[in-house]
Amino acid sequence: MHKAPLSIALPDLAATTLLAEDLALAIKPGDCLCLFGDLGAGKSTLARALIRAVADDPDLEVPSPTFTLVQTYELRLQIAHFDLYRLADPEELDELGLDEALEDGVALVEWPERADDRFAGDVIAIVLEGLEDSRRTATVTAGPDFLERFNRSRTLRSFLDNAGMAHAERRFLQGDASSRTYERIRPETGDPLILMNAPRRPDGPPIRDGLPYSRIAHLAEDVVPFVAIDEWLREHGFSAPAIAAKDLDEGILLIEDLGSDSLLDPKGAPIAERYELAVECLAALHRKPLPGVLQVDGRDHHVPAYDPRAMQIEIELLTDWYLPWRSGAAVSDRDRTEFIELWTALFAELESAEKALVLRDYHSPNLIWREDRTGLDRLGLIDFQDAMIGPSAYDVASVCQDARVTIAPELEARLLNRYVDDRKSSDRAFDEAAFRKVYAIMAVQRASKILGIFVRLDQRDGKPAYLRHLPRIEDYVARSLRHPALEPLRSWFTRVGIVATES
């Protein structure tokens, strides 16, 4: 079903380029864009600008496929650019590989009308019409799925217009395991910025006590928590990004670009000195008073507590997703019940644990190295919208057992010792033994959650790339379970086959 056509005025060539950028940030594999219009209407201009936007290369050679009929591009999105003006027979489309192009990428088709009714189905039709003085109009007709994506892209463009960046260049930066996406924004003047696109997430189905998973696990539902925590971190001397513009209702933020360097070397291995600064940063954070009610433009943000209910719903991801995937069978009632009982006892022991602001995803993808800075300012912090008040050991475990990067046991011990020494140097009352016990508990809790999440991303969301991290996380689990306080839990992990029996 197609919605009413969307008409867009293109007063000049720059407007066509901006339209191409907006389209490039809305398309996804399987989309077929059909460009209609007379000779000189601007079809090739739009196609060329769109391909260059996806490539992030304004000088990319984009030859017209008038004689070859198709030209392919291996970019962030695979694009097949068809020009059917010289198509002799619609059946030739099969030989040109249209269906194959749409399996893994996007098809961009000029003169689709030459193929009779091959493009009469669910395609994205863009009709370009030339007016006087080089002005054009583009009329977009498509199904609701694409129009929702395209309208969101245009909303982001309007946000930039209102922020004084009407002609800023937009480029895809990344998506993550959530529904958020990021763009790099290059204004006509000034430094690049990052646009965070985080529309309010709808509640999922209730799964317990009438609440969805996101509410039980205290996941941020809009951008207010990000802004609140960002401002608190900056007030306390940490390098969170400055916020240049925001629309809290739409879920759009324009934030400082802290850079692209990381804690890893060019081969993707951890750089020990950078990870050491990351644990020093945590030690400094854990010396700060707990945040109270944080205000953002007259709205209150109460930082939630990392309570046993939230911890339990997370560890159940292991029995709901990971174990059935691993074993090929449902988890028995006996194993599930014992798992919950073991964790309930451990959660009770956490009641007396030291509490701090938990950033929650404190690991290499969210830690930015800034070579030109000094002290803690060298470490940029992002992705903390799900922050809670909980055991201080949680974030220490998050970075010392980085889910995306293998941290060898020797480096883990070095980092943990650095954190402990830092805390003890400023607080004689710091209880190292109690901390190491809580560290082990939170490390296994986090790893159990991540094992379940990564399998869920594959099984439910069609994102199999995360499965490559599972062996690393399984090893982390085995390491942490060596703590004497976790012996009963280790027996359970051994019985279900996640951890091997030690000889």
Side-chain angles (χ1 to χ4, degrees):
M1 181 181 70
H2 288 69
K3 290 188 176 180
L6 182 65
S7 182
I8 302 168
L10 304 174
D12 51 30
L13 179 59
T16 300
T17 301
L18 294 179
L19 171 61
E21 291 183 3
D22 297 346
L23 287 167
L25 288 158
I27 56 177
K28 69 177 184 180
D31 284 343
C32 182
L33 282 71
C34 294
L35 308 184
F36 296 87
D38 296 333
L39 284 170
K43 299 186 299 297
S44 295
T45 299
L46 180 63
R48 188 175 295 113
L50 190 154
I51 293 168
R52 287 174 174 167
V54 173
D56 192 14
D57 183 355
D59 300 317
L60 179 69
E61 186 69 24
V62 183
S64 173
T66 301
F67 294 99
T68 59
L69 300 187
V70 62
Q71 179 74 36
T72 58
Y73 300 87
E74 297 292 329
L75 307 172
R76 170 181 67 84
L77 287 171
Q78 297 182 51
I79 297 180
H81 181 197
F82 296 83
D83 186 328
L84 306 184
Y85 186 76
R86 297 179 181 274
L87 188 72
D89 187 330
E91 297 301 321
E92 292 181 34
L93 271 177
D94 296 329
E95 299 175 13
L96 294 174
L98 174 65
D99 292 339
E100 290 81 357
L102 291 173
E103 288 179 2
D104 302 310
V106 174
L108 196 56
V109 186
E110 297 185 51
W111 299 103
E113 59 267 42
R114 303 280 179 156
D116 294 338
D117 60 352
R118 286 293 298 271
F119 297 101
D122 190 15
V123 300
I124 300 157
I126 303 176
V127 180
L128 294 162
E129 296 181 86
L131 304 174
E132 299 177 357
D133 303 324
S134 299
R135 293 179 296 121
R136 298 186 175 94
T137 62
T139 303
V140 181
T141 305
D145 174 60
F146 174 78
L147 285 181
E148 181 179 356
R149 287 181 270 136
F150 184 48
N151 282 329
R152 181 64 181 180
S153 183
R154 297 184 74 216
T155 296
L156 300 178
R157 174 67 69 184
S158 296
F159 171 83
L160 292 174
D161 291 351
N162 294 332
M165 301 182 188
H167 299 289
E169 184 178 270
R170 300 171 60 195
R171 292 293 182 265
F172 177 84
L173 181 59
Q174 69 178 46
D176 60 22
S178 74
S179 59
R180 291 184 300 274
T181 59
Y182 299 86
E183 300 177 15
R184 176 161 278 117
I185 305 301
R186 300 186 183 116
E188 292 183 289
T189 59
D191 295 329
L193 297 163
I194 302 298
L195 186 147
M196 179 193 295
N197 173 29
R200 182 179 179 84
R201 71 172 86 196
D203 284 340
I207 61 172
R208 183 167 301 161
D209 301 329
L211 296 174
Y213 176 88
S214 61
R215 298 277 292 278
I216 298 171
H218 305 308
L219 301 180
E221 298 178 345
D222 53 40
V223 297
V224 171
F226 180 94
V227 176
I229 299 298
D230 181 275
E231 292 177 349
W232 186 91
L233 288 169
R234 289 175 60 81
E235 287 173 4
H236 287 81
F238 299 98
S239 295
I243 298 175
K246 58 183 179 290
D247 187 327
L248 301 180
D249 294 325
E250 284 288 351
I252 309 172
L253 301 176
L254 192 61
I255 64 177
E256 177 186 5
D257 186 351
L258 297 177
S260 57
D261 204 356
S262 72
L263 306 189
L264 313 178
D265 67 18
K267 294 183 179 180
I271 299 174
E273 293 76 14
R274 297 184 180 184
Y275 272 83
E276 285 182 331
L277 182 63
V279 297
E280 290 172 14
C281 184
L282 284 178
L285 176 65
H286 297 162
R287 287 192 287 267
K288 301 295 182 183
L290 296 178
V293 179
L294 304 177
Q295 287 201 332
V296 178
D297 294 353
R299 309 183 192 195
D300 290 344
H301 174 60
H302 299 262
V303 183
Y306 200 1
D307 51 43
R309 185 171 68 166
M311 293 184 190
Q312 178 173 324
I313 203 71
E314 290 179 337
I315 57 100
E316 287 181 32
L317 292 169
L318 183 131
T319 49
D320 289 344
W321 290 93
Y322 170 78
L323 263 182
W325 170 84
R326 179 186 174 100
S327 67
V331 178
S332 70
D333 290 342
R334 172 205 171 197
D335 286 341
R336 186 182 297 273
T337 299
E338 183 179 350
F339 187 63
I340 297 302
E341 290 175 348
L342 289 167
W343 276 110
T344 299
L346 291 171
F347 294 153
E349 296 189 38
L350 295 176
E351 291 297 319
S352 60
E354 178 193 60
K355 302 301 189 298
L357 180 67
V358 174
L359 300 185
R360 205 168 190 176
D361 281 313
Y362 192 85
H363 57 168
S364 57
N366 300 325
L367 301 175
I368 299 171
W369 183 257
R370 307 201 292 173
E371 185 65 36
D372 60 333
R373 307 299 177 95
T374 59
L376 296 182
D377 196 34
R378 301 184 88 177
L379 191 71
L381 309 178
I382 59 172
D383 200 15
F384 37 70
Q385 59 282 333
D386 295 326
M388 300 177 294
I389 303 298
S392 57
Y394 184 91
D395 281 344
V396 183
S398 178
V399 71
C400 292
Q401 294 189 356
D402 196 320
R404 309 293 182 91
V405 181
T406 298
I407 304 296
E410 298 77 15
L411 179 55
E412 180 187 2
R414 174 177 166 181
L415 296 174
L416 194 52
N417 289 338
R418 171 61 69 91
Y419 174 86
V420 168
D421 290 345
D422 198 331
R423 292 298 309 278
K424 291 169 72 174
S425 68
S426 61
D427 181 4
R428 292 185 177 182
F430 180 77
D431 189 335
E432 178 180 352
F435 175 81
R436 289 183 179 274
K437 174 183 175 181
V438 176
Y439 173 90
I441 294 172
M442 298 315 299
V444 180
Q445 190 274 345
R446 176 174 170 80
S448 298
K449 173 185 70 172
I450 295 175
L451 287 171
I453 287 175
F454 283 178
V455 170
R456 186 176 67 182
L457 283 167
D458 170 56
Q459 301 287 295
R460 188 191 71 183
D461 303 333
K463 298 179 179 180
Y466 291 91
L467 295 180
R468 71 181 187 275
H469 300 299
L470 297 186
R472 173 187 309 115
I473 301 167
E474 292 163 351
D475 180 63
Y476 290 155
V477 169
R479 288 188 211 173
S480 300
L481 285 171
R482 294 191 182 106
H483 193 285
L486 298 183
E487 180 56 36
L489 188 63
R490 178 180 178 82
S491 297
W492 185 92
F493 271 86
T494 301
R495 189 177 75 238
V496 299
I498 299 176
V499 172
T501 304
E502 290 188 342
S503 55

